[in-house]
């Protein structure tokens, strides 16, 4: 019968292979019986488990490695999966099931489906392996035993519950799943407290507060400053906290200072008014918002609407009125779900996050290019300075003066040759001049100021909260609340890093990005970057080389090895109600020292997530689709 050869047909199409090696491949089960369900098949034409013998043990080991790998690729936890074979498989070609234990799926439709994974009909990998090792073969079960197993009572795999009917079992499994998600969400809410206690994950720590990396950075650089005092969120602060706020800002300045690759003017500092965590945290985030973890419009809106309270505003409100009024839930909801996504660096507006992310990439790329040129100029200048090769410097100076110096450069004629050379560059690349310290002239773009001017939400009059903003609009217009501060010892006052000397004026370079040919939606490399979700993640968090997507992902189907040595970036698809996610699985940290298979190919996991979640073949998943919760319930697939 032809349906029995379905798996063989499926693996013939390379687009269906999530991972492939010389000896085996991983595909998505077309009718997933749980939230995650994959099949590992050998490339050799072995019809089923009954053809296996001792000589196949190395092949089984390789298949098992791929099972581990796919779980890691999905950022899932090993302990939440079961891996094994059906004692009486229905489809041709040996296949190893890799399935999550939730069994929440619309394709799980019959008692047989359930019992095939939750009775001895399911043969765990280890059982088959040791049977082959000891007996050199695996015997078929007698038909009456098989039938008996498939007709077993419907016993829950997580508790003692025995369901009277299949719908009751499904309902019960759903309850387990929802409880687990809720527990995870609660646990996630406490994660800042856990990090504070662990200490080793803190980048800077003082008696009053600590700085840590955001586990799911929403931009290239994203840190959190967390006070040790247990304050639930920004609306729980009072005027008594002004000194603490000062201190937190100082820590923010320190961590920004440590980011040699990015000037302070590119950072935003502030609070989310609708904070998810149960502990106050101050965000220190680069304004590129170019990150793989930026996955929902809610993520964008939480930093780029009035939901984000800048440090200056928070400081001013506390200083003047002594409290920060909570925003009404309805209003927060409206802002979170704002459909018009406005670029924070130019006038671009998009209705979709994918398009906005593509646009943000052009800004990011432009900035990285400038930094590269700047670094090269600095390096050259250093060499000239160190070696004191005055004659060469003189030649450079002569050359640079031939590039028609600007007025400013003509004034600098008395400067030393290297400096003069640098100035010539500076006129072409204003932001790349070596001095990136917090002098006001360096602050060209501040998304906050732009938002204040452009975002209609920021100007609406309809709530006390917004009135607070109106009241402090002078701060948004560039008057730093420095003069309000209580402690005079603070070297870098509020606003030092966020004041725009030219309110309303945006750096011209960002504007030009609007006309960038890369914006053309038909640009294939460019679009693929985003379709496959290959925006840089925390790969370039501090002290790492800048990430270049073009260099690292020349072929978009080919995921680069991650830092654990496996071949796809572990993703975290476990978003809980749009909030933070659970940490990516690190198999090595879990005590396993498996060797790594020689993998030819591994789909970008975002693309894969889309594929699985939409119940599609990966080949159908080329169009970007937002990640959806509970994919199984949305699967249109029919049961086999
Ligand atoms: P078994 O009962 O062990 O043979 O399981 C076969 C698995 O293959 C089932 O979980 C099916 O949902 C799955 N399946 C059937 N057809 C396809 C296909 N064309 N591509 C991928 N998976 C399939
Ligand atoms: Zn149960």
């Amino acid at each position: 019968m032809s349906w029995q050869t379905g798996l063989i047909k499926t693996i013939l199409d390379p687009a269906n292979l999530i991972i492939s090696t010389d000896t085996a491949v991983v595909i998505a089960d077309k009718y997933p019986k749980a939230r995650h369900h994959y099949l590992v098949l050998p490339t050799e034409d072995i019809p089923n488990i009954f053809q296996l013998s001792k000589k196949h043990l190395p092949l089984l080991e390789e298949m098992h490695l791929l099972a581990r790998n796919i779980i890691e690729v999905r950022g899932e936890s090993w302990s939440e999966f079961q891996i094994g074979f059906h004692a009486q498989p229905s489809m041709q070609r040996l296949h190893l099931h890799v399935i999550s234990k939730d069994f929440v799926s619309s394709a799980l439709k019959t008692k047989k489906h359930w019992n095939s994974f939750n009775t001895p009909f399911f043969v765990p990998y280890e059982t088959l392996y040791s049977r082959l090792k000891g007996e050199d073969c695996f015997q078929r079960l007698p038909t009456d035993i098989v039938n008996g197993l498939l007709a077993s009572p419907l016993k829950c795999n997580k508790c003692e519950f025995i369901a009277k009917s299949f719908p009751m079992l499904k309902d019960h499994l759903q309850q387990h799943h929802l409880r687990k998600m809720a527990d995870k969400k609660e646990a996630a809410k406490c994660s800042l407290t856990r990090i504070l206690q662990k200490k080793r994950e803190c980048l800077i720590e003082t008696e009053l507060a600590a700085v840590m990396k955001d586990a799911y950075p929403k931009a290239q650089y994203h840190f959190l400053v967390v006070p040790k005092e247990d304050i639930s969120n920004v609306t729980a602060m009072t005027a008594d906290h002004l000194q603490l706020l000062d201190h937190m800002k100082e820590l923010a300045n320190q961590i920004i200072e440590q980011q040699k690759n990015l000037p302070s003017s590119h950072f935003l500092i502030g609070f989310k008014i609708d904070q998810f965590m149960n502990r106050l945290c101050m965000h220190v985030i680069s304004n590129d918002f170019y990150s793989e973890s930026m996955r929902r419009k809610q993520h964008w809106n939480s930093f780029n609407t009035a939901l984000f309270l800048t440090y200056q505003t928070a400081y001013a409100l506390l200083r003047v009125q002594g409290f920060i009024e909570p925003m009404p839930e309805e209003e927060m909801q409206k802002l979170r779900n704002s459909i018009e996504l406005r670029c924070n660096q130019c006038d671009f507006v998009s209705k979709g996050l994918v398009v906005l992310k593509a646009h943000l990439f052009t800004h990011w790329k432009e900035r990285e290019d400038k930094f590269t040129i700047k670094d090269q100029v600095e390096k050259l200048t250093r060499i000239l300075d160190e070696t004191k090769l005055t004659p060469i410097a003189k030649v450079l100076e002569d050359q640079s003066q031939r590039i028609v110096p600007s007025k400013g450069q003509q004034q600098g004629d008395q400067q030393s040759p290297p400096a003069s050379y640098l100035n010539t560059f500076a006129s072409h690349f204003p932001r790349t001049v070596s001095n990136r310290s917090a002098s006001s002239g360096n602050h060209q773009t501040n998304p906050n100021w732009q938002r204040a001017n452009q975002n209609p939400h920021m100007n609406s009059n309809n709530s006390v909260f917004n009135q607070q903003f109106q009241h402090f609009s002078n701060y948004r217009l560039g008057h730093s609340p420095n003069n309000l501060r209580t402690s005079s010892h603070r070297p870098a006052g509020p606003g030092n890093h966020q004041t725009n000397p030219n309110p309303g004026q945006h750096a011209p370079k960002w504007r030009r990005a609007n006309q960038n040919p890369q914006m053309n939606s038909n640009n294939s490399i460019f679009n693929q970057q985003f379709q496959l979700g290959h925006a840089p993640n925390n790969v370039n968090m501090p002290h790492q080389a800048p990430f270049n997507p073009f260099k690292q992902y020349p072929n978009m189907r080919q995921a680069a090895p991650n830092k654990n040595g496996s071949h796809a970036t572990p993703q975290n698809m476990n978003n809980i109600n749009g909030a933070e996610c659970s940490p990516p699985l690190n198999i090595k940290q879990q005590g396993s020292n498996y060797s790594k298979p020689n993998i030819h190919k591994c789909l970008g996991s975002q693309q894969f997530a889309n594929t699985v979640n939409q119940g599609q073949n990966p080949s159908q998943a080329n169009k970007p689709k937002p990640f959806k919760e509970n994919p199984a319930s949305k699967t249109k697939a029919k049961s086999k």
Side-chain angles (χ1 to χ4, degrees):
M1 274 179 285
S2 72
W3 63 266
Q4 289 176 314
T5 57
L7 295 180
I8 297 171
K9 282 188 202 125
T10 299
I11 62 170
L12 284 178
D13 182 352
N16 292 331
L17 310 182
I18 305 163
I19 305 178
S20 66
T21 71
D22 283 340
T23 44
V25 299
V26 182
I27 59 169
D29 193 296
K30 197 171 170 184
Y31 311 106
K33 307 298 186 293
R35 294 184 79 236
H36 300 273
H37 190 177
Y38 312 99
L39 301 173
V40 187
L41 299 96
T43 47
E44 188 187 337
D45 190 13
I46 302 169
N48 52 44
I49 43 172
F50 312 118
Q51 319 298 321
L52 294 173
S53 64
K54 258 185 200 163
K55 73 168 190 203
H56 292 109
L57 291 178
L59 168 68
L60 284 184
E61 284 166 20
E62 173 92 5
M63 288 168 69
H64 194 247
L65 285 182
L66 291 189
R68 280 180 167 267
N69 199 260
I70 186 65
I71 295 170
E72 189 200 2
V73 164
R74 295 305 313 276
E76 291 299 321
S77 168
W78 175 248
S79 62
E80 284 166 20
F81 277 75
Q82 59 188 60
I83 294 170
F85 302 86
H86 279 157
Q88 190 68 270
S90 56
M91 305 288 286
Q92 276 178 30
R93 179 65 63 93
L94 176 72
H95 53 273
L96 175 65
H97 289 270
V98 182
I99 186 164
S100 56
K101 293 175 187 168
D102 54 86
F103 293 100
V104 170
S105 166
S106 57
L108 186 85
K109 288 186 169 164
T110 65
K111 187 175 198 176
K112 263 190 185 176
H113 286 158
W114 171 258
N115 282 332
S116 74
F117 289 100
N118 293 284
T119 65
F121 187 93
F122 187 78
V123 184
Y125 166 83
E126 292 78 10
T127 308
L128 182 81
Y129 190 91
S130 54
R131 193 79 64 82
L132 289 178
K133 209 169 173 186
E135 299 168 19
D136 202 22
C137 69
F138 185 82
Q139 296 280 338
R140 222 177 258 275
L141 288 177
T143 312
D144 55 332
I145 293 189
V146 166
N147 291 341
L149 289 172
L150 293 178
S152 303
L154 294 166
K155 186 178 174 313
C156 173
N157 62 343
K158 294 178 184 74
C159 73
E160 294 307 309
F161 178 75
I162 296 173
K164 289 205 178 84
S165 67
F166 190 68
M168 275 172 80
L169 176 72
K170 296 261 301 178
D171 205 45
H172 179 82
L173 293 171
Q174 181 73 28
Q175 294 309 317
H176 271 299
H177 177 62
L178 292 177
R179 264 200 303 276
K180 191 172 164 194
M181 298 305 273
D183 290 350
K184 270 193 177 178
K185 188 173 172 178
E186 276 316 301
K189 279 185 178 177
C190 303
S191 54
L192 296 181
T193 307
R194 276 198 301 275
I195 295 174
L196 268 188
Q197 284 159 357
K198 266 196 226 159
K199 288 180 189 298
R200 64 188 156 84
E201 287 177 38
C202 297
L203 304 170
I204 304 174
E205 198 195 345
T206 66
E207 268 182 25
L208 296 176
V211 182
M212 54 191 75
K213 278 187 194 178
D214 190 298
Y216 304 97
K218 304 297 184 295
Q220 197 175 358
Y221 299 83
H222 191 176
F223 305 96
L224 305 173
V225 185
V226 183
K228 293 201 174 162
E229 184 184 337
D230 194 358
I231 305 168
S232 58
N233 61 59
V234 71
T235 63
M237 290 185 108
T238 66
D240 294 343
H241 291 113
L242 281 171
Q243 275 198 339
L244 174 66
L245 203 54
D246 256 355
H247 180 72
M248 288 167 73
K249 177 63 164 45
E250 263 185 55
L251 295 187
N253 289 347
Q254 274 182 36
I255 197 72
I256 288 172
E257 197 76 359
Q258 288 175 20
Q259 313 317 309
K260 299 285 180 230
N261 288 325
L262 202 66
S264 58
S265 56
H266 289 249
F267 282 90
L268 276 174
I269 303 175
F271 303 88
K272 287 187 191 172
I273 197 90
D274 66 335
Q275 183 175 314
F276 165 78
M277 294 290 177
N278 63 4
R279 190 180 197 107
L280 176 71
C281 62
M282 184 163 92
H283 292 265
V284 180
I285 184 165
S286 55
N287 65 5
D288 52 84
F289 293 106
Y290 182 44
S291 163
E292 203 171 336
S293 299
M294 176 69 79
R295 287 199 179 136
R296 299 160 186 268
K297 68 175 186 299
Q298 287 86 346
H299 291 157
W300 173 261
N301 286 335
S302 67
F303 287 102
N304 292 284
T305 64
L307 289 169
F308 191 74
L309 198 60
T310 62
Y311 167 80
Q312 295 97 317
T313 311
Y315 193 95
L317 289 170
L318 288 177
R319 182 76 181 85
V320 173
Q321 66 181 32
F323 63 93
I324 295 170
E325 189 131 352
M327 191 186 269
E329 179 54 41
E330 205 177 82
E331 185 133 359
M332 291 200 290
Q333 199 70 25
K334 212 168 90 194
L335 288 169
R336 250 182 245 132
N337 296 318
S338 305
I339 295 171
E340 291 214 325
L341 309 174
R342 294 169 180 275
C343 175
N344 61 331
Q345 295 158 59
C346 72
D347 299 330
F348 183 80
V349 183
S350 157
K351 286 202 170 14
L353 185 65
V354 175
V355 175
L356 178 72
K357 283 184 79 165
H359 173 81
L360 290 172
F361 171 76
T362 61
H363 286 311
W364 176 82
K365 181 80 173 51
E366 198 177 347
R367 195 189 73 193
E368 286 304 303
D369 289 349
K370 276 192 226 159
F371 287 163
T372 307
I373 292 167
K374 177 200 169 287
D375 286 345
Q376 283 166 356
V377 172
E378 273 183 357
K379 214 182 271 172
L380 183 64
T381 312
R382 240 191 341 268
I383 293 169
L384 289 172
D385 278 352
E386 281 165 13
T387 55
K388 301 213 188 318
L389 290 176
T390 328
I392 294 177
K394 185 85 187 100
V395 172
L396 279 172
E397 182 196 26
D398 292 347
Q399 280 181 356
S400 72
Q401 279 165 1
R402 253 176 256 142
I403 314 177
V404 191
S406 67
K407 267 186 201 158
Q409 285 146 15
Q410 280 162 358
Q411 283 162 8
D413 272 347
Q414 279 104 31
Q415 287 171 330
S416 69
S420 157
Y421 179 63
L422 205 61
N423 273 350
T424 307
F425 255 94
S427 69
H428 296 282
F429 304 100
R431 211 191 302 262
T432 67
V433 193
S434 64
N435 181 10
R436 279 189 194 166
S437 66
S439 69
S440 61
N442 266 355
H443 298 261
Q444 295 197 14
T445 311
N446 183 337
N448 280 343
W449 310 114
Q450 294 190 20
R451 272 210 316 279
N453 292 332
Q454 293 168 7
N455 192 328
H457 300 297
M458 295 290 285
N459 293 327
S460 60
N461 275 324
N462 53 4
S463 76
V464 181
F465 182 84
N466 279 333
Q467 279 161 19
Q468 288 176 343
F469 276 91
Q470 295 282 318
H471 184 69
F472 291 101
S473 60
N474 55 331
Y475 298 116
R476 280 185 275 135
L477 292 173
H479 304 290
S480 136
N482 261 338
N483 51 343
L484 297 171
R485 70 180 195 237
T486 44
S487 58
S488 55
H489 64 272
R490 186 165 40 79
N496 242 6
H497 285 266
Q498 301 210 8
T499 311
N500 188 346
N502 302 312
Q505 267 185 34
H506 318 313
K509 294 272 175 196
W510 296 129
R511 282 252 175 85
R512 215 171 300 146
N514 245 349
Q515 292 123 33
N516 191 325
Q518 282 184 319
M519 285 296 295
N520 182 333
S521 59
N522 290 327
N523 182 309
S524 61
I525 303 171
F526 173 69
N527 279 334
Q528 283 171 28
Q529 300 275 356
F530 287 92
Q531 288 176 10
L532 299 182
H534 282 150
N537 198 345
N538 49 359
V539 280
N540 357 333
M541 285 307 271
H543 319 303
Q544 293 192 25
F547 174 91
N548 179 342
F550 288 116
K551 269 193 200 144
Q552 297 201 18
Y553 298 107
N555 171 354
M556 288 303 123
R557 280 266 155 83
Q558 207 96 28
N562 68 20
K563 60 178 184 289
N564 300 327
S566 53
H567 286 248
T569 314
Q571 295 283 304
N572 200 314
M573 314 316 282
N574 263 358
N575 282 0
I576 309 158
N577 289 347
E580 305 304 325
C581 332
S582 63
L585 173 76
N586 180 335
I587 287 192
K588 274 193 186 142
Q589 276 177 7
Q590 303 218 339
S592 70
N593 54 353
Y594 74 98
S595 62
K596 101 191 150 191
N598 178 18
I599 293 172
H600 296 321
K601 182 186 130 169
C602 183
L603 285 186
S605 39
Q606 179 65 55
Q607 182 196 24
F608 178 62
N610 292 336
T611 304
V612 175
N613 293 326
Q614 312 286 328
Q616 296 171 331
N617 287 329
S619 58
Q620 295 171 294
N622 282 334
K623 280 206 180 135
K625 290 190 182 68
F627 176 73
K628 296 236 168 62
E629 267 317 303
N630 191 357
S633 65
K634 296 216 165 76
T635 307
K636 288 195 197 85
K638 291 173 246 104
S639 167
K640 70 165 168 154

